[in-house]
Amino acid sequence: MNATEVMPPQATPTSTPRVTIATTWLDGCSGCHMSFLDMDQRLVDLADKIDIVYSPLVDAKSLPEQVDVGILEGSISNEEDLHKAKEFRKHCKVLISLGDCAVNGNVPAMRNPFKLSDVFERAYHDNVDLNPQIPTQGVPSLLPVVRPIHGVVDVDVFVPGCPPQADAIFHILSELIAGRVPDPSAVTRFGA
Ligand code: SF4
């Protein structure tokens, strides 16, 4: 990715150019999205420059055909995660892996040393206090191995942290809005 690939956002002669942003959470705890909201007052400042066109944080639930910046939280643990990651890659010009789960698998990937059948056995059969029925209806199938986002699609910007602090998210979005390639290593790190 280079700076000219990041932006500029789509503009019309009669409107202020805005960067369109889509976000979603995959296998994570939603803490990275909570950190996004922790930008607080700065969200108001950003509101003049961005449009959140798809996100669990807003009502829009249909991913537009073209989006400037896609932000994915969480890792790829099931078929639905896989589908969403591919859709974001297809429709987003710049794709951001937000948080350690997205960047390296983090907590969800702790099941990787074990066979999926052993994970189910431990979760549903070894604990008699839980419903012993393994759900098969209405839930996406788990994948045998949890993968980070870049394990299934190309990622442009990696933002580690659990979660990345609001200051770091603001910095990265501001850089992208300004048409620059952000350097997340300057503002966040794994486990921060
Ligand atoms: Fe939650 Fe941390 Fe994973 Fe973000 S990186 S989804 S805060 S566990």
Side-chain angles (χ1 to χ4, degrees):
M1 181 180 64
N2 58 50
T4 56
E5 290 172 329
V6 178
M7 296 301 141
Q10 295 171 0
T12 67
T14 58
S15 68
T16 303
R18 289 171 182 266
V19 175
T20 53
I21 294 180
T23 85
T24 197
W25 48 50
L26 307 177
D27 192 4
C29 73
S30 73
C32 292
H33 272 73
M34 296 305 107
S35 202
F36 185 98
L37 291 177
D38 274 348
M39 285 192 284
D40 296 331
Q41 173 64 34
R42 286 169 294 184
L43 283 170
V44 177
D45 302 334
L46 284 175
D48 288 336
K49 301 169 184 164
I50 67 173
D51 273 332
I52 300 180
V53 294
Y54 174 93
S55 172
L57 304 175
V58 300
D59 287 337
K61 302 301 181 201
S62 177
L63 189 62
E65 193 62 33
Q66 282 196 311
V67 180
D68 293 319
V69 179
I71 300 175
L72 291 178
E73 167 195 319
S75 49
I76 311 291
S77 296
N78 62 45
E79 296 286 356
E80 185 174 292
D81 299 333
L82 183 60
H83 174 73
K84 284 183 179 176
K86 289 180 176 176
E87 285 295 295
F88 263 62
R89 180 66 282 177
K90 180 177 171 187
H91 295 286
C92 299
K93 193 171 177 183
V94 175
L95 190 62
I96 298 177
S97 265
L98 182 68
D100 287 350
C101 294
V103 174
N104 69 8
N106 200 29
V107 176
M110 291 173 69
R111 74 165 164 91
N112 281 354
F114 307 100
K115 287 190 297 187
L116 196 51
S117 57
D118 291 339
V119 172
F120 280 128
E121 190 68 21
R122 179 75 178 105
Y124 290 96
H125 293 161
D126 289 358
N127 189 338
V128 294
D129 293 332
L130 294 177
N131 183 346
Q133 298 300 315
I134 297 173
T136 56
Q137 303 291 320
V139 292
S141 299
L142 285 181
L143 298 170
V145 174
V146 175
R147 284 177 284 179
I149 307 296
H150 66 280
V152 299
V153 294
D154 289 339
V155 168
D156 301 302
V157 182
F158 295 86
V159 184
C162 185
Q165 297 299 303
D167 288 349
I169 298 172
F170 180 73
H171 171 79
I172 284 148
L173 288 179
S174 298
E175 289 292 282
L176 286 170
I177 291 167
R180 294 187 290 267
V181 178
D183 176 14
S185 68
V187 290
T188 187
R189 58 182 169 78
F190 287 108

